[in-house]
Amino acid sequence: QVQLQESGPGLVKPSETLSLTCTVSGGSISSYYWSWIRQPAGKGLEWIGRIYTSGSTNYNPSLKSRVTMSVDTSKNQFSLKLSSVTAADTAVYYCARERRGVRGVIDYWGQGTLVTVSS
Amino acid sequence: QSALTQPASVSGSPGQSITISCTGTSSDVGGYNYVSWYQQHPGKAPKLMIYEVSNRPSGVPDRFSGSKSGNTASLTISGLQAEDEADYYCSSYTSSSTPHVVFGGGTKLTVL
């Protein structure tokens, strides 16, 4: 059974860069798209972007200028960086796996990690 | 404002059926069969319930079904049970401007 676990600082200062890592266990990271999705408290889901194990990326057009994703297949990890954060970036951040062969379908999710942007 | 439009809330009694709609455009819901539905209980990660409009992952009860007509997708839950009370989100793949995924704003299902 594939498991995903987010890790990173729970508190980030405004204007700084949010950095999160997702560790995948129970299966190989290879040959899948890996995604980041966030959810502000009491609000809906927002897709941030995805990365293939080759390093190819797709980002949400509304966040594209601030997002960078990377993957480390040797560690079975992938990462998110979101620059110039504001209070509006406060949310639970989920890492997730896209189901193979079906575009945009998330079949495995991490438990989520709360990131608060505050000074 | 979410890219896909869902009703904020729906409700039904145990045993009844409910339908949740998800309206997009020809660039997303109407243009692809990559519509998914997720169930989210409070404090938990979302769970995939339907993918490719009407397919159920293994383990999802057949009380859950999906369909699509034009730019609107629908999730129907028949034989409502108390444990179905949750938030439901639709999503769609889109290649508008650049390939990405859009979500609906979510629908709160209350089992009366």
Side-chain angles (χ1 to χ4, degrees):
Chain A
Q1 181 80 339
V2 174
Q3 294 186 320
L4 297 89
Q5 179 66 58
E6 305 89 351
S7 60
L11 181 64
V12 182
K13 289 182 169 56
S15 80
E16 295 189 345
T17 296
L18 177 160
S19 295
L20 294 174
T21 295
C22 183
T23 301
V24 180
S25 59
S28 173
I29 198 171
S30 297
S31 303
Y32 282 97
Y33 277 100
W34 301 92
S35 301
W36 289 96
I37 295 152
R38 70 181 182 179
Q39 184 174 34
K43 296 187 178 181
L45 301 166
E46 181 179 31
W47 187 84
I48 300 171
R50 65 179 186 175
I51 185 166
Y52 193 64
T53 47
S54 65
S56 173
T57 56
N58 298 117
Y59 299 143
N60 186 324
S62 68
L63 298 169
K64 185 177 182 178
S65 63
R66 299 195 291 132
V67 173
T68 303
M69 293 183 183
S70 59
V71 61
D72 187 338
T73 54
S74 67
K75 295 182 178 179
N76 252 29
Q77 293 178 334
F78 61 104
S79 299
L80 167 70
K81 291 187 185 300
L82 181 66
S83 64
S84 305
V85 297
T86 69
D89 295 309
T90 294
V92 173
Y93 284 75
Y94 294 101
C95 62
R97 191 188 81 172
E98 189 170 303
R99 189 179 179 105
R100 183 177 282 163
V102 191
R103 299 177 195 176
V105 178
I106 304 298
D107 60 356
Y108 285 96
W109 298 71
Q111 65 184 24
T113 187
L114 175 62
V115 178
T116 301
V117 178
S118 175
S119 55
Chain B
Q1 186 171 352
S2 301
L4 305 180
T5 300
Q6 298 180 232
S9 63
V10 298
S11 63
S13 299
Q16 290 186 332
S17 295
I18 63 95
T19 296
I20 300 172
S21 62
C22 170
T23 301
T25 68
S26 59
S27 295
D28 39 63
V29 173
Y32 302 93
N33 285 327
Y34 294 123
V35 176
S36 303
W37 290 91
Y38 301 89
Q39 176 192 65
Q40 186 180 35
H41 287 109
K44 301 295 186 181
K47 174 187 175 183
L48 179 65
M49 304 301 285
I50 296 287
Y51 68 98
E52 286 184 297
V53 177
S54 60
N55 292 329
R56 278 188 310 277
S58 174
V60 173
D62 60 6
R63 302 185 295 104
F64 291 83
S65 62
S67 62
K68 188 183 83 168
S69 177
N71 296 336
T72 298
S74 299
L75 172 71
T76 298
I77 309 174
S78 59
L80 269 179
Q81 298 182 3
E83 59 262 35
D84 298 333
E85 183 163 298
D87 293 325
Y88 291 84
Y89 293 91
C90 63
S91 77
S92 176
Y93 174 87
T94 175
S95 62
S96 172
S97 74
T98 182
H100 61 284
V101 173
V102 290
F103 281 98
T107 298
K108 170 66 177 176
L109 168 61
T110 301
V111 180
L112 302 170

